[in-house]
mmCIF file of all heavy atoms in Angstrom:
data_model
loop_
_atom_site.group_PDB
_atom_site.id
_atom_site.type_symbol
_atom_site.label_atom_id
_atom_site.label_comp_id
_atom_site.label_asym_id
_atom_site.label_seq_id
_atom_site.Cartn_x
_atom_site.Cartn_y
_atom_site.Cartn_z
ATOM 1 N N LEU A 120 -3.015 -18.463 23.289
ATOM 2 C CA LEU A 120 -1.526 -18.594 23.176
ATOM 3 C C LEU A 120 -0.855 -17.497 24.197
ATOM 4 O O LEU A 120 0.043 -17.692 25.005
ATOM 5 C CB LEU A 120 -0.935 -18.568 21.890
ATOM 6 C CG LEU A 120 0.540 -18.596 21.747
ATOM 7 C CD1 LEU A 120 0.957 -19.477 20.484
ATOM 8 C CD2 LEU A 120 1.274 -17.277 21.423
ATOM 9 N N LEU A 121 -1.329 -16.365 23.943
ATOM 10 C CA LEU A 121 -0.761 -15.139 24.755
ATOM 11 C C LEU A 121 -1.059 -15.422 26.199
ATOM 12 O O LEU A 121 -0.284 -15.127 27.130
ATOM 13 C CB LEU A 121 -1.383 -13.904 24.140
ATOM 14 C CG LEU A 121 -0.946 -13.486 22.798
ATOM 15 C CD1 LEU A 121 -1.729 -12.397 22.284
ATOM 16 C CD2 LEU A 121 0.599 -13.140 22.725
ATOM 17 N N LYS A 122 -2.349 -15.721 26.594
ATOM 18 C CA LYS A 122 -2.749 -15.901 27.891
ATOM 19 C C LYS A 122 -2.067 -17.042 28.592
ATOM 20 O O LYS A 122 -1.583 -16.893 29.841
ATOM 21 C CB LYS A 122 -4.211 -15.889 28.080
ATOM 22 C CG LYS A 122 -4.856 -14.436 27.721
ATOM 23 C CD LYS A 122 -6.362 -14.497 27.948
ATOM 24 C CE LYS A 122 -7.108 -13.139 27.286
ATOM 25 N NZ LYS A 122 -6.953 -12.027 28.010
ATOM 26 N N GLN A 123 -2.164 -18.192 27.980
ATOM 27 C CA GLN A 123 -1.618 -19.323 28.698
ATOM 28 C C GLN A 123 -0.021 -19.331 28.773
ATOM 29 O O GLN A 123 0.577 -19.842 29.857
ATOM 30 C CB GLN A 123 -1.812 -20.663 27.818
ATOM 31 C CG GLN A 123 -3.252 -21.185 28.004
ATOM 32 C CD GLN A 123 -3.466 -22.489 27.243
ATOM 33 O OE1 GLN A 123 -2.517 -23.187 27.175
ATOM 34 N NE2 GLN A 123 -4.766 -22.558 26.752
ATOM 35 N N SER A 124 0.659 -18.603 27.921
ATOM 36 C CA SER A 124 2.079 -18.534 27.915
ATOM 37 C C SER A 124 2.624 -17.523 28.771
ATOM 38 O O SER A 124 3.693 -17.482 29.321
ATOM 39 C CB SER A 124 2.693 -18.413 26.499
ATOM 40 O OG SER A 124 2.378 -17.180 25.992
ATOM 41 N N GLY A 125 1.800 -16.414 28.871
ATOM 42 C CA GLY A 125 2.371 -15.074 29.554
ATOM 43 C C GLY A 125 3.260 -14.402 28.699
ATOM 44 O O GLY A 125 3.870 -13.421 29.064
ATOM 45 N N LEU A 126 3.448 -14.888 27.510
ATOM 46 C CA LEU A 126 4.380 -14.133 26.654
ATOM 47 C C LEU A 126 3.732 -13.067 25.818
ATOM 48 O O LEU A 126 2.541 -13.065 25.652
ATOM 49 C CB LEU A 126 4.950 -15.081 25.534
ATOM 50 C CG LEU A 126 5.859 -16.321 25.911
ATOM 51 C CD1 LEU A 126 5.964 -17.288 24.777
ATOM 52 C CD2 LEU A 126 7.206 -15.689 26.368
ATOM 53 N N SER A 127 4.537 -12.110 25.247
ATOM 54 C CA SER A 127 4.063 -11.159 24.299
ATOM 55 C C SER A 127 4.898 -11.455 22.994
ATOM 56 O O SER A 127 6.110 -11.845 23.229
ATOM 57 C CB SER A 127 4.386 -9.778 24.795
ATOM 58 O OG SER A 127 3.722 -9.461 25.991
ATOM 59 N N VAL A 128 4.112 -11.583 21.957
ATOM 60 C CA VAL A 128 4.964 -12.064 20.766
ATOM 61 C C VAL A 128 4.911 -11.014 19.528
ATOM 62 O O VAL A 128 3.814 -10.387 19.349
ATOM 63 C CB VAL A 128 4.395 -13.431 20.102
ATOM 64 C CG1 VAL A 128 4.562 -14.456 21.258
ATOM 65 C CG2 VAL A 128 2.950 -13.291 19.696
ATOM 66 N N ALA A 129 5.995 -10.716 18.957
ATOM 67 C CA ALA A 129 6.147 -10.061 17.700
ATOM 68 C C ALA A 129 5.692 -10.883 16.670
ATOM 69 O O ALA A 129 6.045 -12.018 16.720
ATOM 70 C CB ALA A 129 7.428 -9.521 17.470
ATOM 71 N N ALA A 130 4.721 -10.391 15.807
ATOM 72 C CA ALA A 130 4.261 -11.341 14.777
ATOM 73 C C ALA A 130 3.929 -10.633 13.523
ATOM 74 O O ALA A 130 2.780 -10.230 13.209
ATOM 75 C CB ALA A 130 3.062 -12.131 15.356
ATOM 76 N N PRO A 131 4.879 -10.338 12.637
ATOM 77 C CA PRO A 131 4.601 -9.741 11.239
ATOM 78 C C PRO A 131 4.003 -10.964 10.430
ATOM 79 O O PRO A 131 4.108 -12.151 10.845
ATOM 80 C CB PRO A 131 6.006 -9.377 10.821
ATOM 81 C CG PRO A 131 6.899 -10.343 11.393
ATOM 82 C CD PRO A 131 6.418 -10.706 12.793
ATOM 83 N N SER A 132 3.448 -10.640 9.333
ATOM 84 C CA SER A 132 2.924 -11.682 8.520
ATOM 85 C C SER A 132 3.915 -12.873 8.112
ATOM 86 O O SER A 132 5.118 -12.477 7.902
ATOM 87 C CB SER A 132 2.371 -11.055 7.158
ATOM 88 O OG SER A 132 3.402 -10.170 6.620
#
Side-chain angles (χ1 to χ4, degrees):
L120 179 140
L121 295 169
K122 287 184 195 281
Q123 280 184 36
S124 67
L126 293 171
S127 300
V128 301
S132 51

